[in-house]
C-alpha cells in the first residue's frame, strides 16, 4: 500500500484510484452529483452556465471536466 497526497487538501492517505482522501472524495462526489443533475435539466450548458446556476467554482468544474466525468458543451 502506498501513501499519497490528496489532490485537493494535500493530506496523506492510502493511495486510491481517484487521488482524493476520503473526506475530499465525499465533497467531490457531492459536487459531481449537483453538476450531473444540473446537466440533466440543461444538457447544452457550458461551464459558465453551470457555475452561474450552481455556484460551484469554475476551477472545480474545469477539474471535473479534465477528469472526463462530465461532458460540457463548447
Amino acid at each position: 500500500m502506498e501513501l499519497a497526497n490528496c489532490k485537493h487538501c494535500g493530506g496523506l492517505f492510502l493511495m486510491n484510484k481517484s487521488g482524493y482522501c476520503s473526506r475530499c472524495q465525499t465533497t467531490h462526489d457531492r459536487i459531481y452529483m449537483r453538476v450531473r443533475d444540473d446537466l440533466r435539466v440543461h444538457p447544452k450548458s457550458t461551464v459558465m452556465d453551470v457555475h452561474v446556476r450552481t455556484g460551484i467554482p469554475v476551477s472545480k468544474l474545469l477539474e471535473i471536466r479534465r477528469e472526463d466525468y462530465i461532458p460540457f458543451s463548447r
Side-chain angles (χ1 to χ4, degrees):
M1 296 200 150
E2 287 185 53
L3 288 178
N5 290 86
C6 176
K7 291 196 293 190
H8 182 72
C9 71
L12 280 175
F13 71 104
L14 290 176
M15 183 64 156
N16 62 31
K17 185 177 177 182
S18 72
Y20 294 103
C21 65
S22 61
R23 187 173 16 150
C24 292
Q25 183 65 50
T26 302
T27 303
H28 184 75
D29 291 344
R30 206 170 319 133
I31 290 171
Y32 166 77
M33 297 300 274
R34 284 179 55 201
V35 172
R36 187 193 69 179
D37 293 344
D38 183 72
L39 287 173
R40 281 186 176 162
V41 176
H42 308 283
K44 299 288 184 184
S45 296
T46 63
V47 171
M48 287 304 295
D49 295 335
V50 175
H51 165 69
V52 169
R53 281 193 302 272
T54 64
I56 297 170
V58 172
S59 60
K60 188 66 176 175
L61 293 171
L62 291 174
E63 180 182 320
I64 290 171
R65 181 176 173 215
R66 250 190 323 276
E67 294 173 351
D68 292 327
Y69 280 116
I70 297 177
F72 290 99
S73 293
R74 299 208 178 245

